[in-house]
Amino acid sequence: MKRSVFRALGGATAIFGMLLVFQTGALAGQDIVIKGTVSHSVAGNGDPLNNGAWPVGGFSHFPDSAENNSVTVSSGGKIDDTDLRVYGGAAYGASGTITVTGNRVTVSGEVVPQIVVGGFASGNASAVATNNGVTISGGLAKNVSGGYVISGATATVMGNTVTMSSGTINGEIYGGFAFTGIGTDGDETRTGNPAAADNTVAISGGKVSGHVYGGLAYSDIGTPKATSNTVMLSGTPTFGTDSALIGGHVIGKPGDVFTDNVLKIHNYTGAPVKRVLNFASYDFLLPVSLEPLKVTERVYFEKSGNPAETARVTAVNLMEGGTAPGVGDKIALIHATNGFRGVIANNGQALSGTKGALKYTFRLEQDKNHLYAVVVSVVPALP
């Protein structure tokens, strides 16, 4: 439980209009709230008397663990330099396992820095980021990641989240980013086995200019993997003309980017995306209007490196309200302008679904440019 101290700040700091809430015990974390303009990197476990500034001496002076810290950039708040970083919690260590857990960044103001991260860990041997998150509820940010890890050997990002309901992201979104490498910028030795797993990106509003990744792993020598991640679209967000939805992605050595990654399209009436790839399963909850997911280029159902393995549709349900489709109706789930790479694994098979009290049986049907759910039967649910 946090033991908080509230201080009204005077002098130059009062210009920032900032109210600090911080914890005297390290395990419970501290909260940094930005209500005006600051021009330095910020961390939830940074200096509570200087707007979350990094330690004197730089990043290497952070502790080897950070837990339950937060940064909130309120409406009217601004972090004003493209070379800066914003971390909900940050940790560094030359040995042992470096961990960040339960750290958060919430943005409704303007964040100009290169990247905003819920929890960031860097270590020579092993680094882990779990259950960190970023919430975008307005304002502006560039690149965003729920968890981000750099390590010389083992890098793990797991259970991190990015949630966006409004605002603008002028770059990419990553549920989790795992990087293995030692050295200076441009001269790293990227070894080790990075894993980005069980991370989630959920977008229900706002605008994203770049790609959306459930998880990304980077290694030149080891075995990277980005699996069991989830991307969920709902509401009416908009995307850039080149934006793709990507379940998992690896850079450097090949690795698994497909297994158990999930795309959820739930009550979505937003803008098209350019490409969809590296998802093992698709989960649909169609809006009352029955609008499909629109893809301006192509959907890749094939598993990268193993085209014989393709994705499955695991759920088709309809929002309650409006006119109920009848037997024989074809409901488009996806419209892809340039078609598909691969055929869904359960094409032609039956799948059960609901619309309020109605129980449906659908048959999945894929043609050149569409994936359909064809109504086979519909009956009222038993009372």
Side-chain angles (χ1 to χ4, degrees):
M1 181 176 180
K2 291 187 179 181
R3 178 182 173 189
S4 300
V5 179
F6 292 84
R7 299 192 178 188
L9 302 178
T13 313
I15 297 173
F16 303 139
M18 183 178 157
L19 182 64
L20 293 178
V21 186
F22 64 94
Q23 157 59 28
T24 56
L27 288 180
Q30 67 181 16
D31 304 324
I32 301 294
V33 180
I34 307 294
K35 293 186 176 179
T37 300
V38 298
S39 298
H40 56 69
S41 292
V42 174
N45 60 329
D47 184 352
L49 298 179
N50 189 21
N51 313 307
W54 289 12
V56 175
F59 185 84
S60 63
H61 290 261
F62 274 112
D64 61 7
S65 66
E67 183 176 352
N68 296 335
N69 302 284
S70 73
V71 173
T72 299
V73 184
S74 301
S75 179
K78 184 175 183 179
I79 301 176
D80 189 23
D81 192 311
T82 57
D83 291 331
L84 303 179
R85 304 287 186 270
V86 179
Y87 301 138
Y92 172 83
S95 62
T97 298
I98 313 306
T99 61
V100 286
T101 302
N103 303 286
R104 305 284 165 189
V105 178
T106 300
V107 176
S108 57
E110 185 173 353
V111 183
V112 177
Q114 184 69 23
I115 192 163
V116 177
V117 181
F120 179 81
S122 178
N124 287 343
S126 176
V128 179
T130 57
N131 301 323
N132 305 284
V134 177
T135 299
I136 309 295
S137 57
L140 173 71
K142 197 172 182 184
N143 300 299
V144 174
S145 186
Y148 187 1
V149 161
I150 297 176
S151 173
T154 303
T156 304
V157 286
M158 181 176 292
N160 304 285
T161 61
V162 176
T163 303
M164 182 177 181
S165 60
S166 185
T168 300
I169 304 298
N170 283 329
E172 324 287 351
I173 296 180
Y174 309 88
F177 193 131
F179 178 102
T180 52
I182 299 174
T184 57
D185 287 347
D187 192 31
E188 294 91 346
T189 300
R190 299 181 180 93
T191 62
N193 301 303
D198 297 308
N199 304 289
T200 299
V201 178
I203 303 172
S204 60
K207 179 178 180 179
V208 181
S209 295
H211 300 325
V212 177
Y213 299 88
L216 187 148
Y218 191 162
S219 177
D220 283 341
I221 298 176
T223 304
K225 67 176 182 178
T227 58
S228 301
N229 301 291
T230 299
V231 174
M232 177 174 173
L233 297 188
S234 61
T236 58
T238 60
F239 293 92
T241 55
D242 289 325
S243 294
L245 307 178
I246 304 168
H249 186 64
V250 297
I251 301 174
K253 283 289 187 179
D256 189 351
V257 295
F258 184 82
T259 300
D260 294 332
N261 290 323
V262 180
L263 178 61
K264 296 184 177 182
I265 306 298
H266 282 195
N267 195 22
Y268 181 69
T269 55
V273 296
K274 186 173 183 178
R275 286 185 297 273
V276 178
L277 62 157
N278 297 343
F279 293 98
S281 64
Y282 289 71
D283 176 329
F284 295 93
L285 173 61
L286 269 68
V288 172
S289 62
L290 300 181
E291 289 185 43
L293 173 66
K294 295 178 283 292
V295 181
T296 61
E297 191 180 83
R298 193 181 300 275
V299 176
Y300 294 78
F301 287 142
E302 295 176 350
K303 180 178 181 179
S304 177
N306 182 14
E309 184 175 352
T310 60
R312 302 181 66 86
V313 176
T314 56
V316 175
N317 294 289
L318 313 178
M319 290 290 293
E320 194 168 3
T323 302
V327 173
D329 287 346
K330 296 175 70 171
I331 303 168
L333 305 176
I334 300 175
H335 175 263
T337 302
N338 291 345
F340 303 91
R341 184 69 61 83
V343 177
I344 57 166
N346 50 342
N347 188 40
Q349 296 179 18
L351 191 67
S352 298
T354 63
K355 179 181 176 68
L358 299 176
K359 285 188 170 183
Y360 278 83
T361 300
F362 301 105
R363 183 183 70 255
L364 298 170
E365 183 177 300
Q366 182 180 334
D367 66 18
K368 181 179 178 182
N369 299 105
H370 299 86
L371 175 63
Y372 293 105
V374 182
V375 178
V376 176
S377 68
V378 53
V379 297
L382 294 176

